[in-house]
């Protein structure tokens, strides 16, 4: 069932022909075009790095490759033969396997069971042949150089060994294409080195490897080819040997930023928020910044840089281990969400579905939820005042809804976002934190959210905007703080705010640090 | 407004009850006489009281399996008190029953809130413990009608404006719950906590605390029902209302209270209880065996849940789309 050693002899000859090629792939979701006419080719015995900003379409293409999404247009060819992946099983049968950021394995099963789940060797009566399974599992584990007993439970392994099990699983199904999505994100330096060795082994075995990473040093170290996506489009591909770091950064971000953002006269007032030495045991360290009335402060960084975690601490969702917060010059103790709201800090979370709108409650009940004390008399809610409050703020946001007692679940993503923002504006905050405010919403709603954010700042509200979209951060913010691995990598303002500096600081590229 | 109501779950249930009554009336017209309908409502009052409490618990994504045991323990305590001190006024008895029930509900709530034990486990445990305590305090003895004072036994039967006090208790509780659920911040929090717990946290609502209040309310009503039950049937023993917690959950489920939390109404819980009440009272009249009675109740639960699943399906699709989009 797994690759025999003699395959490597054939790889050199086949190197010029891709194992897998995608062309003209388009995938749209309601209101969003995630991929637009992209192509991707993977060659045997070579590592292709897929590079792009957050939201460039990398995860979407992985889902197309593994049969989770079906593309609207375009062709997938394996060995030059056009094919389709209607199910995840079909992709796996074609020899494509993905090792995800969070490996998809089963904690309560043994290593051997994890490796062979779904294709366990069968005995004569159709029952699982445990002895063969364990023997084959240890053979595969030997091949990846893992010293793991196949009969231990997966949950007893460390993260690096779990990766090895995932890779062993890939080998057991005779995978020819291995997709590694940020495989080093949670590994130590020593484990990363071991992973690189393993990638070399896979290359020698003739596997085609798609390597997704934000870390430029590792891309330049192990990749043979690169493909760059930007905003769901294919913007370049070639050999690593032919490109410099600077050119790759330029390909990733290259575009003009000035286009669509509202005009703002940067005229910040008094300091309203001061965060000093904010620390968290695991998520972030030594975060200090200040914020003025009428200012928009951008927070940029890669996914997992700790931006949202800082904001959640400021909003009382998690507790920081050290540091102080001053609002309007007075120290505040944020021990709960209610305390944050009391202090005038509100947070519009990133994941509307899970953290924002309460699907099932009508619009007005969503909006008034944190303001019920103001719409009540003697402890009883007054419907008329609820509607009045809701109307006041939803009209300012230009909410499109049939009626205010309509279920939030029936609104579009952009309008749900407006309901969540209206909810917080109704508490009359001093500081509003917008976490990825335009993620996953259509262009029209994006422009409305941008215009409104600018208007809020103009009215004297202090705004923190966490965003992974470089044009949005640069187009909207007066200053930008770049975070990397839980720390502040840079604070940029004025002329320093360019796409290149943002990416450099976020990815930790050493040269050109300001 | 009217069009919305016609399409609602409550209207469907009301129609089902009307149809059921019409069917029975076609063979046994006396069943729908005003006097008998009052008797049916009065008989269902205990179920309505418990279903109201269970409703708010289920709204917060929990379940309270201890209501029947709470009822039985409170009933035993007030009955024993009555035998020892027959002079204690009914008002005091009612206050004791409400308080004792509230304490038992609060114990459930605290275990769920502070120790974060799954509600089904907590209430399964306290259910057994409360029953065990009845045995300990009563020594397994029954307290019979002749040991109870007349005032004690008369309260639920006293007729005011054509209805017995038992029915009035249910009606007052329903009115109070309509206001609580629709017009107070706590009522709103029940829906928010069950509809989207994470979003509730982000809105400044304490999920565990809200669940604690739901359990306390449920326990309070169970305590009240404990006195009403024991005085109405004029008997108290270890096993009264055994298994009744499942009937209560069934009434809620039939009434369209989503077991996944966040969806439901007072009207739904009341109609669900009435539906079961009509069936339980009608079947003996129509001379159908008690075994069929159980089967029919069971079928009603499955039909109700299937209908609810159907009506929420379109909603589910919308949620999935947005989730995929942001993924």
């Amino acid at each position: 069932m797994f690759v025999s050693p003699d395959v490597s002899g054939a790889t050199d000859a086949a190197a010029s022909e891709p194992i897998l090629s995608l062309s003209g792939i388009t995938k749209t979701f309601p209101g969003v075009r995630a991929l637009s006419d992209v192509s991707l080719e993977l060659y045997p015995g070579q590592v292709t790095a897929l590079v792009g900003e957050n939201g460039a379409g990398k995860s979407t293409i992985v889902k197309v490759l593994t049969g989770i999404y079906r593309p609207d247009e375009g062709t997938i060819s394996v060995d030059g033969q056009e094919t389709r992946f209607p199910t995840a099983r079909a992709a796996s049968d074609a020899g494509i396997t993905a090792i995800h950021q969070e490996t998809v394995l089963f904690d309560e099963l043994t290593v051997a069971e994890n490796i062979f789940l779904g294709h366990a060797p069968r005995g004569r009566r159709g029952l699982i042949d445990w002895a063969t399974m364990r023997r084959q599992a240890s053979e595969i584990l030997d091949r990846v150089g893992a010293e793991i007993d196949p009969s231990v439970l997966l949950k007893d392994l460390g993260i690096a060994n779990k990766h090895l099990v995932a890779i062993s699983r890939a080998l057991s199904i005779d995978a020819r294409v291995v997709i590694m999505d940020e495989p080093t994100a949670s590994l130590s330096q020593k484990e990363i080195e071991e992973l690189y060795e393993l990638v070399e082994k896979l290359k020698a075995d003739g596997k085609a490897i798609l390597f997704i990473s934000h870390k430029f040093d590792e891309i330049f170290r192990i990749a043979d080819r690169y493909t760059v996506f930007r905003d769901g489009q294919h913007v370049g591909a070639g050999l690593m040997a032919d490109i410099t770091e600077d050119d790759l950064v330029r390909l990733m971000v290259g575009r003009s930023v000035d286009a669509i953002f509202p005009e703002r006269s940067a005229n910040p007032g008094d300091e309203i928020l001061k965060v000093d030495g904010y620390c968290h045991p695991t998520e972030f360290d030594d975060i200090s910044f200040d914020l003025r009335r009428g200012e928009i402060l951008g927070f940029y960084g890669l996914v997992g840089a700790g931006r949202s975690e800082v904001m959640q601490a400021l909003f009382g969702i998690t507790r920081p281990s050290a540091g102080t917060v001053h609002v309007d010059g007075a120290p505040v103790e944020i021990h709960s969400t209610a305390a944050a709201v009391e202090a005038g800090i509100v947070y519009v979370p990133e994941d509307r579905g899970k953290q924002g709108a309460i699907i099932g409650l009508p619009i007005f009940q969503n909006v008034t939820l944190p303001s019920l004390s103001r719409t009540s008399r003697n402890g009883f809610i007054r419907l008329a005042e609820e509607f009045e409050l809701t109307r006041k703020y939803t009209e300012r946001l230009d909410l499109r809804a049939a009626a205010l007692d309509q279920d939030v679940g029936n609104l579009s993503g952009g309008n749900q976002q407006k309901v969540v923002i209206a909810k917080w504006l109704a508490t009359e905050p001093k500081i509003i934190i917008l976490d990825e405010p335009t993620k996953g919403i259509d262009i029209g709603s994006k422009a409305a959210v941008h215009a409104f954010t600018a208007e809020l700042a103009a009215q004297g509200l202090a705004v923190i905007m966490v965003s992974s979209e470089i044009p949005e951060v640069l187009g909207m913010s007066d200053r930008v703080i770049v975070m990397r691995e839980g720390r502040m990598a840079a604070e940029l303002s004025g002329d320093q705010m360019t796409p290149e500096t943002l990416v450099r600081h976020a990815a930790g590229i050493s040269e050109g640090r300001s | 407004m009217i069009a919305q109501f016609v399409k609602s779950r409550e209207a469907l249930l009301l129609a089902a009850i009307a149809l059921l009554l019409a069917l029975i009336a076609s063979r046994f017209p006396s069943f729908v006489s005003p006097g008998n309908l009052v008797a049916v409502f009065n008989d269902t009052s205990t179920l309505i009281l418990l279903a109201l409490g269970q409703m708010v618990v289920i709204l917060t994504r929990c379940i309270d399996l201890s209501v029947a045991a709470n009822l039985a323990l409170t009933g035993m305590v007030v009955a024993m008190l009555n035998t020892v001190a027959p002079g204690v006024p009914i008002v005091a008895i009612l206050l004791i029953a409400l308080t004792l029930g509230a304490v038992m509900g609060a114990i459930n709530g605290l275990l769920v809130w502070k120790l974060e034990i799954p509600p089904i486990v907590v209430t399964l445990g306290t259910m057994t413990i409360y029953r065990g305590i009845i045995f300990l305090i009563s020594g397994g003895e029954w307290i019979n009608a002749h040991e109870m004072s007349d005032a004690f036994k008369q309260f639920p039967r006293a007729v005011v404006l054509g209805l017995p006090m038992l029915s009035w208790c249910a009606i007052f509780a329903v009115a109070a719950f309509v206001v609580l659920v629709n017009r107070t911040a706590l009522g709103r929090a029940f829906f928010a906590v069950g509809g989207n717990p994470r979003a509730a946290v982000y809105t400044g609502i304490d999920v565990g605390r809200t669940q604690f209040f739901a359990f306390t309310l449920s326990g309070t009503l169970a305590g009240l029902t404990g006195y009403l039950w024991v005085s109405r049937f004029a008997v108290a023993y270890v096993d009264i209302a055994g298994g009744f917690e499942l009937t209560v959950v069934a009434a809620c489920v039939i009434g369209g209270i989503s077991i996944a939390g966040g969806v439901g109404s007072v009207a739904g819980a009341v109609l669900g209880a009435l539906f079961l009440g009509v069936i339980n009272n009608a079947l003996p009249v129509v001379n159908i065996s008690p075994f069929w009675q159980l089967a029919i109740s069971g079928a009603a639960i499955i039909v109700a849940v299937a209908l609810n699943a159907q009506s929420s399906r379109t909603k589910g699709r919308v949620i999935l789309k947005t989730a995929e989009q942001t993924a």
Side-chain angles (χ1 to χ4, degrees):
Chain A
M1 274 303 277
F2 39 93
V3 177
S4 50
D6 62 11
V7 171
S8 54
T11 50
D12 289 332
S16 53
E17 290 296 317
I19 290 186
L20 181 81
S21 77
L22 303 183
S23 67
I25 299 286
T26 297
K27 177 73 192 171
T28 53
F29 297 109
V32 187
R33 176 166 279 217
L35 291 175
S36 172
D37 191 23
V38 300
S39 54
L40 177 67
E41 291 180 337
L42 301 177
Y43 295 85
Q46 298 194 11
V47 176
T48 303
L50 181 57
V51 186
E53 286 178 57
N54 301 333
K58 294 172 304 201
S59 300
T60 312
I61 197 86
V62 169
K63 287 181 178 157
V64 167
L65 277 172
T66 50
I68 292 166
Y69 289 163
R70 277 164 291 287
D72 304 331
E73 286 168 42
T75 56
I76 304 172
S77 306
V78 176
D79 292 329
Q81 295 280 330
E82 198 176 315
T83 181
R84 289 189 304 139
F85 297 147
T87 61
R89 187 67 193 244
S92 146
D93 287 346
I96 297 170
T97 187
I99 297 159
H100 292 279
Q101 290 168 345
E102 307 283 323
T103 40
V104 191
L105 293 169
F106 303 88
D107 270 344
E108 296 292 339
L109 297 182
T110 65
V111 168
E113 283 172 299
N114 266 291
I115 293 174
F116 285 103
L117 196 72
H119 56 278
R122 298 296 174 90
R124 241 177 304 153
R125 278 186 224 85
L127 300 175
I128 291 174
D129 182 350
W130 289 90
T132 309
M133 185 163 98
R134 267 193 289 274
R135 200 189 63 244
Q136 290 184 355
S138 47
E139 281 170 20
I140 297 171
L141 288 167
D142 279 348
R143 270 159 39 99
V144 302
E147 286 169 17
I148 304 172
D149 177 356
S151 54
V152 303
L153 292 182
L154 189 84
K155 66 177 177 187
D156 297 329
L157 299 182
I159 183 86
N161 277 337
K162 283 184 186 173
H163 271 289
L164 291 177
V165 173
I167 292 163
S168 304
R169 176 170 171 79
L171 294 175
S172 77
I173 55 175
D174 200 4
R176 301 170 63 207
V177 176
V178 179
I179 301 165
M180 299 180 145
D181 194 352
E182 303 242 20
T184 60
S186 47
L187 299 186
S188 71
Q189 196 54 44
K190 181 172 166 290
E191 291 164 342
I192 290 173
E193 291 298 330
E194 287 170 5
L195 185 87
Y196 290 164
E197 277 173 37
L198 191 70
V199 170
E200 293 298 333
K201 271 188 200 162
L202 293 174
K203 272 172 75 170
D205 260 4
K207 314 285 187 212
I209 296 159
L210 180 66
F211 195 89
I212 300 175
S213 175
H214 287 292
K215 298 181 188 164
F216 274 55
D217 54 343
E218 67 185 30
I219 292 170
F220 276 89
R221 172 157 171 194
I222 69 163
D224 304 293
R225 292 169 177 272
Y226 66 88
T227 294
V228 183
F229 281 8
R230 188 202 308 149
D231 296 337
Q233 288 178 327
H234 179 273
V235 292
L239 295 171
M240 291 307 296
D242 302 339
I243 193 164
T244 64
E245 246 181 34
D246 283 335
D247 289 337
L248 201 56
V249 169
R250 211 159 292 140
L251 266 179
M252 265 173 74
V253 298
R255 83 193 113 181
S256 64
V257 168
D258 37 75
I260 38 167
F261 294 95
E263 276 297 312
R264 295 186 50 234
S265 53
N267 185 16
D270 309 331
E271 181 180 282
I272 187 142
L273 175 71
K274 185 168 180 58
V275 175
D276 206 22
Y278 232 35
C279 297
H280 186 279
T282 54
E283 301 301 336
F284 54 83
D285 193 31
D286 197 18
I287 305 294
S288 302
F289 63 92
D290 53 59
L291 180 67
R292 295 163 174 279
R293 266 179 230 282
E295 190 181 34
I296 299 180
L297 175 62
F299 265 77
Y300 180 77
L302 303 172
V303 168
R307 297 166 298 164
S308 297
E309 287 74 11
V310 172
M311 302 309 152
Q312 284 167 4
L314 272 178
F315 191 54
I317 304 277
T318 56
R319 291 286 196 90
S321 55
T324 57
V325 179
H326 287 75
V327 175
D328 262 340
V332 288
E333 197 67 46
I334 301 171
H335 47 76
S336 70
T337 304
V341 176
E342 181 74 16
I345 302 174
V346 299
Y347 175 64
V348 180
E350 174 184 355
D351 186 340
R352 279 185 304 282
K354 290 203 187 100
Q355 301 164 353
I358 294 171
I359 312 287
L361 281 188
I363 293 169
F364 77 96
Q365 293 189 2
N366 263 285
V367 171
T368 58
L369 206 50
S371 312
L372 284 178
S373 58
R374 291 192 11 244
T375 59
S376 304
R377 295 271 169 80
N378 306 322
F380 294 111
I381 300 169
R382 299 169 73 94
L383 221 62
E385 288 181 25
E386 279 198 284
F387 273 102
E388 198 188 307
L389 191 74
T390 308
R391 199 169 293 119
K392 183 172 160 193
Y393 288 97
T394 49
E395 269 172 13
R396 274 174 70 184
L397 287 162
D398 194 23
L399 178 82
R400 308 275 164 78
L404 292 181
D405 56 4
Q406 188 186 335
D407 188 340
V408 189
N410 298 331
L411 296 177
S412 72
N415 279 314
Q416 282 186 19
Q417 183 74 321
K418 288 177 186 173
V419 169
V420 178
I421 295 176
K423 170 171 86 175
W424 288 124
L425 290 180
T427 65
E428 294 175 356
K430 295 171 186 162
I431 299 145
I432 186 163
I433 304 168
L434 304 172
D435 198 345
E436 304 281 4
T438 62
K439 187 175 174 182
I441 68 178
D442 59 274
I443 302 281
S445 293
K446 264 190 191 184
V449 170
H450 289 151
F452 192 75
T453 309
E455 197 193 313
L456 290 179
Q459 288 167 1
L461 202 65
V463 181
I464 295 176
M465 189 175 71
V466 176
S467 174
S468 299
E469 289 187 37
I470 290 176
E472 183 172 271
V473 171
L474 294 179
M476 295 296 300
S477 312
D478 299 305
R479 281 183 297 142
V480 178
I481 288 173
V482 183
M483 284 187 66
R484 181 164 59 87
E485 290 172 5
R487 288 193 168 78
M488 285 173 60
E491 185 178 331
L492 307 170
S493 59
D495 292 343
Q496 298 167 309
M497 288 168 47
T498 64
E500 284 80 6
T501 46
L502 244 58
V503 170
R504 282 187 173 286
H505 286 295
I509 300 170
S510 50
E511 56 181 292
R513 180 163 291 178
S514 53
Chain B
M1 205 58 177
I2 293 164
Q4 245 178 3
F5 175 74
V6 170
K7 274 191 282 182
S8 72
R9 224 177 268 122
E10 287 80 5
L12 194 70
L13 199 51
L14 199 61
I17 295 172
L19 185 73
L20 201 60
L21 287 174
L23 271 174
I24 302 161
S26 66
R27 300 258 324 265
F28 302 92
S30 62
F31 189 82
V32 294
S33 70
N36 193 56
L37 287 181
V38 166
V40 170
F41 180 82
N42 195 49
D43 188 59
T44 314
S45 293
T46 46
L47 182 57
I48 291 174
L49 282 167
L50 295 174
L52 288 172
Q54 190 70 250
M55 178 192 79
V56 292
V57 172
I58 294 180
L59 275 181
T60 65
R61 290 199 180 174
C62 295
I63 194 157
D64 187 352
L65 294 179
S66 72
V67 282
N70 181 333
L71 173 165
L73 177 51
T74 311
M76 178 57 82
V77 169
V78 291
M80 287 173 73
L81 179 71
N82 185 247
T83 56
V84 179
V88 176
I90 295 305
V91 180
I93 297 269
L94 280 172
L95 280 175
I96 290 167
L98 286 166
T99 312
L100 191 59
V103 168
M104 281 190 269
I107 291 171
N108 288 331
L110 279 174
L111 290 170
V112 170
W113 179 17
K114 295 298 181 188
L115 299 185
E116 292 177 23
I117 309 174
I120 194 163
V121 178
V122 166
T123 56
L124 205 57
T126 53
M127 170 175 104
T128 322
I129 293 168
Y130 297 160
R131 286 269 179 212
I133 294 173
I134 309 175
F135 189 86
L136 287 179
I137 60 174
S138 69
E141 300 285 321
W142 289 40
I143 293 178
N144 291 305
H146 63 87
E147 295 170 78
M148 298 175 187
S149 74
D150 281 344
F152 186 86
K153 285 180 288 188
Q154 272 312 308
F155 176 75
R157 282 172 246 272
V159 174
V160 180
L161 297 175
L163 282 180
M165 273 315 285
L166 176 60
S167 297
W168 282 115
C169 285
I171 290 168
F172 282 134
V174 169
F177 266 66
V178 166
V179 175
L180 172 82
V181 165
N182 298 313
R183 298 288 300 280
T184 68
L186 181 63
R188 204 58 67 74
F190 291 145
F191 287 93
V193 162
N196 190 341
R198 283 188 64 191
V201 169
Y202 276 78
T203 311
I205 294 171
D206 189 327
V207 173
R209 192 165 160 271
T210 308
Q211 290 170 335
F212 166 78
F213 282 122
F215 276 108
T216 307
L217 276 170
S218 172
T220 309
L221 285 179
L224 171 66
T225 314
Y227 162 62
L228 295 172
W229 187 293
V230 165
S231 57
R232 177 172 182 236
F233 293 110
V235 64
Y237 55 95
V238 172
D239 288 326
I240 58 165
F244 200 62
E245 62 278 343
L246 296 183
T247 313
V248 175
V249 173
C252 287
V253 170
I254 291 173
I257 321 296
S258 166
I259 214 80
V263 179
S265 67
V266 173
V270 172
L271 288 170
L274 284 175
F275 182 83
L276 286 180
V278 169
I279 287 185
N280 289 342
N281 280 282
L283 292 186
V285 177
V286 206
N287 204 12
I288 292 178
S289 94
F291 295 108
W292 280 108
Q293 221 163 301
L294 289 175
I296 290 171
S297 302
I301 295 169
I302 291 169
V303 169
V305 172
L307 284 174
N308 287 341
Q310 284 291 325
S311 68
S312 60
R313 191 158 291 167
T314 43
K315 209 185 276 170
R317 235 181 259 135
V318 176
I319 298 167
L320 278 179
K321 237 178 235 162
T322 47
E324 214 173 45
Q325 207 172 298
T326 49

